[in-house]
PDB file of all heavy atoms in Angstrom:
ATOM      1  N   GLU A  15      27.717 -21.127   0.782  1.00 96.00           N
ATOM      2  CA  GLU A  15      29.110 -21.329   1.184  1.00 96.00           C
ATOM      3  C   GLU A  15      29.563 -20.290   2.203  1.00 96.00           C
ATOM      4  O   GLU A  15      30.337 -20.576   3.096  1.00 96.00           O
ATOM      5  CB  GLU A  15      30.024 -21.209  -0.039  1.00 96.00           C
ATOM      6  CG  GLU A  15      29.897 -22.344  -1.023  1.00 96.00           C
ATOM      7  CD  GLU A  15      30.821 -22.115  -2.215  1.00 96.00           C
ATOM      8  OE1 GLU A  15      30.836 -20.979  -2.747  1.00 96.00           O
ATOM      9  OE2 GLU A  15      31.541 -23.052  -2.588  1.00 96.00           O
ATOM     10  N   LYS A  16      29.055 -19.070   2.010  1.00 94.00           N
ATOM     11  CA  LYS A  16      29.555 -17.969   2.851  1.00 94.00           C
ATOM     12  C   LYS A  16      28.442 -16.939   3.040  1.00 94.00           C
ATOM     13  O   LYS A  16      27.503 -16.878   2.248  1.00 94.00           O
ATOM     14  CB  LYS A  16      30.770 -17.324   2.178  1.00 94.00           C
ATOM     15  CG  LYS A  16      30.484 -16.825   0.758  1.00 94.00           C
ATOM     16  CD  LYS A  16      31.717 -16.283   0.064  1.00 94.00           C
ATOM     17  CE  LYS A  16      31.385 -15.826  -1.369  1.00 94.00           C
ATOM     18  NZ  LYS A  16      30.776 -16.843  -2.246  1.00 94.00           N
ATOM     19  N   PRO A  17      28.545 -16.133   4.080  1.00 93.00           N
ATOM     20  CA  PRO A  17      27.528 -15.108   4.299  1.00 93.00           C
ATOM     21  C   PRO A  17      27.572 -14.036   3.218  1.00 93.00           C
ATOM     22  O   PRO A  17      28.628 -13.773   2.645  1.00 93.00           O
ATOM     23  CB  PRO A  17      27.897 -14.520   5.662  1.00 93.00           C
ATOM     24  CG  PRO A  17      29.334 -14.865   5.879  1.00 93.00           C
ATOM     25  CD  PRO A  17      29.592 -16.131   5.124  1.00 93.00           C
ATOM     26  N   ASP A  18      26.448 -13.412   2.940  1.00 93.00           N
ATOM     27  CA  ASP A  18      26.370 -12.340   1.937  1.00 93.00           C
ATOM     28  C   ASP A  18      25.045 -11.603   2.113  1.00 93.00           C
ATOM     29  O   ASP A  18      24.034 -11.925   1.489  1.00 93.00           O
ATOM     30  CB  ASP A  18      26.482 -12.940   0.527  1.00 93.00           C
ATOM     31  CG  ASP A  18      26.548 -11.870  -0.563  1.00 93.00           C
ATOM     32  OD1 ASP A  18      26.241 -10.693  -0.288  1.00 93.00           O
ATOM     33  OD2 ASP A  18      26.927 -12.225  -1.693  1.00 93.00           O
ATOM     34  N   ALA A  19      25.085 -10.574   2.962  1.00 92.00           N
ATOM     35  CA  ALA A  19      23.848  -9.867   3.304  1.00 92.00           C
ATOM     36  C   ALA A  19      23.283  -9.093   2.120  1.00 92.00           C
ATOM     37  O   ALA A  19      22.068  -8.912   2.013  1.00 92.00           O
ATOM     38  CB  ALA A  19      24.091  -8.916   4.478  1.00 92.00           C
ATOM     39  N   VAL A  20      24.146  -8.637   1.230  1.00 92.00           N
ATOM     40  CA  VAL A  20      23.652  -7.912   0.055  1.00 92.00           C
ATOM     41  C   VAL A  20      22.880  -8.870  -0.839  1.00 92.00           C
ATOM     42  O   VAL A  20      21.799  -8.551  -1.342  1.00 92.00           O
ATOM     43  CB  VAL A  20      24.803  -7.244  -0.719  1.00 92.00           C
ATOM     44  CG1 VAL A  20      24.290  -6.598  -2.001  1.00 92.00           C
ATOM     45  CG2 VAL A  20      25.507  -6.218   0.160  1.00 92.00           C
ATOM     46  N   TYR A  21      23.408 -10.055  -1.006  1.00 94.00           N
ATOM     47  CA  TYR A  21      22.717 -11.029  -1.836  1.00 94.00           C
ATOM     48  C   TYR A  21      21.419 -11.509  -1.163  1.00 94.00           C
ATOM     49  O   TYR A  21      20.420 -11.767  -1.834  1.00 94.00           O
ATOM     50  CB  TYR A  21      23.628 -12.219  -2.146  1.00 94.00           C
ATOM     51  CG  TYR A  21      23.074 -13.029  -3.285  1.00 94.00           C
ATOM     52  CD1 TYR A  21      23.252 -12.611  -4.603  1.00 94.00           C
ATOM     53  CD2 TYR A  21      22.321 -14.182  -3.059  1.00 94.00           C
ATOM     54  CE1 TYR A  21      22.706 -13.307  -5.657  1.00 94.00           C
ATOM     55  CE2 TYR A  21      21.774 -14.893  -4.107  1.00 94.00           C
ATOM     56  CZ  TYR A  21      21.968 -14.458  -5.400  1.00 94.00           C
ATOM     57  OH  TYR A  21      21.419 -15.152  -6.441  1.00 94.00           O
ATOM     58  N   ALA A  22      21.443 -11.582   0.147  1.00 96.00           N
ATOM     59  CA  ALA A  22      20.220 -11.959   0.876  1.00 96.00           C
ATOM     60  C   ALA A  22      19.082 -11.013   0.523  1.00 96.00           C
ATOM     61  O   ALA A  22      17.937 -11.426   0.344  1.00 96.00           O
ATOM     62  CB  ALA A  22      20.476 -11.932   2.386  1.00 96.00           C
ATOM     63  N   ARG A  23      19.420  -9.736   0.448  1.00 96.00           N
ATOM     64  CA  ARG A  23      18.404  -8.750   0.056  1.00 96.00           C
ATOM     65  C   ARG A  23      17.869  -9.054  -1.345  1.00 96.00           C
ATOM     66  O   ARG A  23      16.670  -9.005  -1.588  1.00 96.00           O
ATOM     67  CB  ARG A  23      19.028  -7.354   0.073  1.00 96.00           C
ATOM     68  CG  ARG A  23      18.142  -6.283  -0.523  1.00 96.00           C
ATOM     69  CD  ARG A  23      18.946  -5.030  -0.833  1.00 96.00           C
ATOM     70  NE  ARG A  23      18.127  -4.028  -1.480  1.00 96.00           N
ATOM     71  CZ  ARG A  23      18.610  -2.913  -1.997  1.00 96.00           C
ATOM     72  NH1 ARG A  23      19.910  -2.660  -1.936  1.00 96.00           N
ATOM     73  NH2 ARG A  23      17.810  -2.044  -2.583  1.00 96.00           N
ATOM     74  N   LYS A  24      18.775  -9.343  -2.260  1.00 96.00           N
ATOM     75  CA  LYS A  24      18.351  -9.596  -3.641  1.00 96.00           C
ATOM     76  C   LYS A  24      17.457 -10.830  -3.724  1.00 96.00           C
ATOM     77  O   LYS A  24      16.484 -10.873  -4.482  1.00 96.00           O
ATOM     78  CB  LYS A  24      19.572  -9.762  -4.538  1.00 96.00           C
ATOM     79  CG  LYS A  24      20.379  -8.473  -4.677  1.00 96.00           C
ATOM     80  CD  LYS A  24      21.605  -8.663  -5.562  1.00 96.00           C
ATOM     81  CE  LYS A  24      22.400  -7.355  -5.634  1.00 96.00           C
ATOM     82  NZ  LYS A  24      23.704  -7.537  -6.316  1.00 96.00           N
ATOM     83  N   LEU A  25      17.813 -11.838  -2.942  1.00 98.00           N
ATOM     84  CA  LEU A  25      17.063 -13.093  -2.993  1.00 98.00           C
ATOM     85  C   LEU A  25      15.629 -12.918  -2.486  1.00 98.00           C
ATOM     86  O   LEU A  25      14.745 -13.723  -2.798  1.00 98.00           O
ATOM     87  CB  LEU A  25      17.816 -14.134  -2.156  1.00 98.00           C
ATOM     88  CG  LEU A  25      17.701 -15.600  -2.547  1.00 98.00           C
ATOM     89  CD1 LEU A  25      17.924 -15.830  -4.029  1.00 98.00           C
ATOM     90  CD2 LEU A  25      18.704 -16.426  -1.739  1.00 98.00           C
ATOM     91  N   GLN A  26      15.406 -11.841  -1.693  1.00 98.00           N
ATOM     92  CA  GLN A  26      14.043 -11.581  -1.232  1.00 98.00           C
ATOM     93  C   GLN A  26      13.066 -11.442  -2.406  1.00 98.00           C
ATOM     94  O   GLN A  26      11.878 -11.691  -2.267  1.00 98.00           O
ATOM     95  CB  GLN A  26      14.007 -10.293  -0.392  1.00 98.00           C
ATOM     96  CG  GLN A  26      14.577 -10.419   0.991  1.00 98.00           C
ATOM     97  CD  GLN A  26      13.645 -11.075   1.998  1.00 98.00           C
ATOM     98  OE1 GLN A  26      14.063 -11.498   3.066  1.00 98.00           O
ATOM     99  NE2 GLN A  26      12.373 -11.163   1.668  1.00 98.00           N
ATOM    100  N   GLU A  27      13.580 -11.008  -3.575  1.00 98.00           N
ATOM    101  CA  GLU A  27      12.675 -10.802  -4.709  1.00 98.00           C
ATOM    102  C   GLU A  27      11.905 -12.076  -5.057  1.00 98.00           C
ATOM    103  O   GLU A  27      10.706 -12.038  -5.296  1.00 98.00           O
ATOM    104  CB  GLU A  27      13.455 -10.323  -5.942  1.00 98.00           C
ATOM    105  CG  GLU A  27      12.548  -9.874  -7.091  1.00 98.00           C
ATOM    106  CD  GLU A  27      11.692  -8.655  -6.758  1.00 98.00           C
ATOM    107  OE1 GLU A  27      12.169  -7.774  -6.012  1.00 98.00           O
ATOM    108  OE2 GLU A  27      10.527  -8.596  -7.210  1.00 98.00           O
ATOM    109  N   VAL A  28      12.633 -13.206  -5.099  1.00 98.00           N
ATOM    110  CA  VAL A  28      11.956 -14.451  -5.486  1.00 98.00           C
ATOM    111  C   VAL A  28      11.251 -15.119  -4.301  1.00 98.00           C
ATOM    112  O   VAL A  28      10.558 -16.110  -4.466  1.00 98.00           O
ATOM    113  CB  VAL A  28      12.919 -15.427  -6.208  1.00 98.00           C
ATOM    114  CG1 VAL A  28      13.186 -14.909  -7.622  1.00 98.00           C
ATOM    115  CG2 VAL A  28      14.207 -15.612  -5.448  1.00 98.00           C
ATOM    116  N   LEU A  29      11.407 -14.563  -3.118  1.00 98.00           N
ATOM    117  CA  LEU A  29      10.612 -15.024  -1.975  1.00 98.00           C
ATOM    118  C   LEU A  29       9.323 -14.203  -1.887  1.00 98.00           C
ATOM    119  O   LEU A  29       8.237 -14.748  -1.954  1.00 98.00           O
ATOM    120  CB  LEU A  29      11.430 -14.891  -0.681  1.00 98.00           C
ATOM    121  CG  LEU A  29      10.854 -15.529   0.583  1.00 98.00           C
ATOM    122  CD1 LEU A  29      11.898 -15.555   1.687  1.00 98.00           C
ATOM    123  CD2 LEU A  29       9.590 -14.889   1.123  1.00 98.00           C
ATOM    124  N   GLY A  30       9.475 -12.857  -1.766  1.00 98.00           N
ATOM    125  CA  GLY A  30       8.317 -12.030  -1.442  1.00 98.00           C
ATOM    126  C   GLY A  30       7.975 -10.965  -2.465  1.00 98.00           C
ATOM    127  O   GLY A  30       7.221 -10.046  -2.165  1.00 98.00           O
ATOM    128  N   GLY A  31       8.515 -11.075  -3.672  1.00 98.00           N
ATOM    129  CA  GLY A  31       8.221 -10.087  -4.713  1.00 98.00           C
ATOM    130  C   GLY A  31       6.941 -10.422  -5.474  1.00 98.00           C
ATOM    131  O   GLY A  31       6.271 -11.420  -5.190  1.00 98.00           O
ATOM    132  N   GLN A  32       6.641  -9.574  -6.440  1.00 98.00           N
ATOM    133  CA  GLN A  32       5.427  -9.724  -7.259  1.00 98.00           C
ATOM    134  C   GLN A  32       5.336 -11.141  -7.829  1.00 98.00           C
ATOM    135  O   GLN A  32       4.253 -11.728  -7.874  1.00 98.00           O
ATOM    136  CB  GLN A  32       5.488  -8.704  -8.401  1.00 98.00           C
ATOM    137  CG  GLN A  32       4.295  -8.690  -9.336  1.00 98.00           C
ATOM    138  CD  GLN A  32       4.508  -7.759 -10.542  1.00 98.00           C
ATOM    139  OE1 GLN A  32       5.618  -7.287 -10.780  1.00 98.00           O
ATOM    140  NE2 GLN A  32       3.449  -7.510 -11.287  1.00 98.00           N
ATOM    141  N   TYR A  33       6.456 -11.681  -8.255  1.00 98.00           N
ATOM    142  CA  TYR A  33       6.476 -13.030  -8.831  1.00 98.00           C
ATOM    143  C   TYR A  33       7.285 -14.003  -7.975  1.00 98.00           C
ATOM    144  O   TYR A  33       7.850 -14.961  -8.482  1.00 98.00           O
ATOM    145  CB  TYR A  33       7.015 -12.977 -10.266  1.00 98.00           C
ATOM    146  CG  TYR A  33       6.064 -12.291 -11.218  1.00 98.00           C
ATOM    147  CD1 TYR A  33       6.365 -11.060 -11.791  1.00 98.00           C
ATOM    148  CD2 TYR A  33       4.840 -12.868 -11.526  1.00 98.00           C
ATOM    149  CE1 TYR A  33       5.472 -10.429 -12.650  1.00 98.00           C
ATOM    150  CE2 TYR A  33       3.942 -12.235 -12.386  1.00 98.00           C
ATOM    151  CZ  TYR A  33       4.270 -11.024 -12.945  1.00 98.00           C
ATOM    152  OH  TYR A  33       3.379 -10.406 -13.789  1.00 98.00           O
ATOM    153  N   GLY A  34       7.337 -13.722  -6.661  1.00 98.00           N
ATOM    154  CA  GLY A  34       8.076 -14.603  -5.765  1.00 98.00           C
ATOM    155  C   GLY A  34       7.259 -15.833  -5.394  1.00 98.00           C
ATOM    156  O   GLY A  34       6.126 -16.018  -5.824  1.00 98.00           O
ATOM    157  N   GLU A  35       7.846 -16.666  -4.547  1.00 98.00           N
ATOM    158  CA  GLU A  35       7.224 -17.954  -4.222  1.00 98.00           C
ATOM    159  C   GLU A  35       5.957 -17.794  -3.369  1.00 98.00           C
ATOM    160  O   GLU A  35       5.038 -18.610  -3.460  1.00 98.00           O
ATOM    161  CB  GLU A  35       8.234 -18.855  -3.490  1.00 98.00           C
ATOM    162  CG  GLU A  35       9.500 -19.169  -4.286  1.00 98.00           C
ATOM    163  CD  GLU A  35       9.301 -20.200  -5.405  1.00 98.00           C
ATOM    164  OE1 GLU A  35       8.162 -20.669  -5.594  1.00 98.00           O
ATOM    165  OE2 GLU A  35      10.278 -20.522  -6.083  1.00 98.00           O
ATOM    166  N   ILE A  36       5.892 -16.738  -2.534  1.00 98.00           N
ATOM    167  CA  ILE A  36       4.632 -16.533  -1.800  1.00 98.00           C
ATOM    168  C   ILE A  36       3.502 -16.302  -2.801  1.00 98.00           C
ATOM    169  O   ILE A  36       2.391 -16.827  -2.635  1.00 98.00           O
ATOM    170  CB  ILE A  36       4.729 -15.326  -0.827  1.00 98.00           C
ATOM    171  CG1 ILE A  36       5.763 -15.574   0.272  1.00 98.00           C
ATOM    172  CG2 ILE A  36       3.368 -15.049  -0.181  1.00 98.00           C
ATOM    173  CD1 ILE A  36       5.903 -14.421   1.273  1.00 98.00           C
ATOM    174  N   SER A  37       3.778 -15.558  -3.856  1.00 98.00           N
ATOM    175  CA  SER A  37       2.741 -15.276  -4.858  1.00 98.00           C
ATOM    176  C   SER A  37       2.220 -16.551  -5.501  1.00 98.00           C
ATOM    177  O   SER A  37       1.003 -16.768  -5.566  1.00 98.00           O
ATOM    178  CB  SER A  37       3.287 -14.348  -5.951  1.00 98.00           C
ATOM    179  OG  SER A  37       3.554 -13.067  -5.433  1.00 98.00           O
ATOM    180  N   VAL A  38       3.115 -17.391  -5.990  1.00 98.00           N
ATOM    181  CA  VAL A  38       2.604 -18.590  -6.662  1.00 98.00           C
ATOM    182  C   VAL A  38       1.963 -19.542  -5.661  1.00 98.00           C
ATOM    183  O   VAL A  38       0.936 -20.156  -5.941  1.00 98.00           O
ATOM    184  CB  VAL A  38       3.673 -19.290  -7.526  1.00 98.00           C
ATOM    185  CG1 VAL A  38       3.884 -18.506  -8.815  1.00 98.00           C
ATOM    186  CG2 VAL A  38       4.979 -19.490  -6.786  1.00 98.00           C
ATOM    187  N   ALA A  39       2.551 -19.650  -4.460  1.00 98.00           N
ATOM    188  CA  ALA A  39       1.955 -20.536  -3.454  1.00 98.00           C
ATOM    189  C   ALA A  39       0.503 -20.140  -3.194  1.00 98.00           C
ATOM    190  O   ALA A  39      -0.409 -20.972  -3.260  1.00 98.00           O
ATOM    191  CB  ALA A  39       2.764 -20.488  -2.154  1.00 98.00           C
ATOM    192  N   LEU A  40       0.272 -18.870  -2.912  1.00 98.00           N
ATOM    193  CA  LEU A  40      -1.100 -18.457  -2.607  1.00 98.00           C
ATOM    194  C   LEU A  40      -1.973 -18.430  -3.862  1.00 98.00           C
ATOM    195  O   LEU A  40      -3.161 -18.715  -3.810  1.00 98.00           O
ATOM    196  CB  LEU A  40      -1.110 -17.107  -1.888  1.00 98.00           C
ATOM    197  CG  LEU A  40      -0.748 -17.202  -0.401  1.00 98.00           C
ATOM    198  CD1 LEU A  40      -0.671 -15.825   0.246  1.00 98.00           C
ATOM    199  CD2 LEU A  40      -1.784 -18.042   0.364  1.00 98.00           C
ATOM    200  N   GLN A  41      -1.391 -18.079  -4.994  1.00 98.00           N
ATOM    201  CA  GLN A  41      -2.181 -18.044  -6.229  1.00 98.00           C
ATOM    202  C   GLN A  41      -2.745 -19.426  -6.553  1.00 98.00           C
ATOM    203  O   GLN A  41      -3.934 -19.576  -6.862  1.00 98.00           O
ATOM    204  CB  GLN A  41      -1.300 -17.545  -7.384  1.00 98.00           C
ATOM    205  CG  GLN A  41      -2.011 -17.495  -8.723  1.00 98.00           C
ATOM    206  CD  GLN A  41      -1.354 -16.506  -9.672  1.00 98.00           C
ATOM    207  OE1 GLN A  41      -1.128 -15.351  -9.337  1.00 98.00           O
ATOM    208  NE2 GLN A  41      -1.059 -16.954 -10.884  1.00 98.00           N
TER     209      GLN A  41
END
Side-chain angles (χ1 to χ4, degrees):
Chain A
E15 290 179 314
K16 56 184 179 304
D18 186 346
V20 175
Y21 195 80
R23 171 196 176 188
K24 293 179 182 172
L25 210 48
Q26 285 281 164
E27 189 64 35
V28 286
L29 190 169
Q32 181 187 11
Y33 291 112
E35 300 285 1
I36 296 180
S37 293
V38 284
L40 282 176
Q41 179 157 308

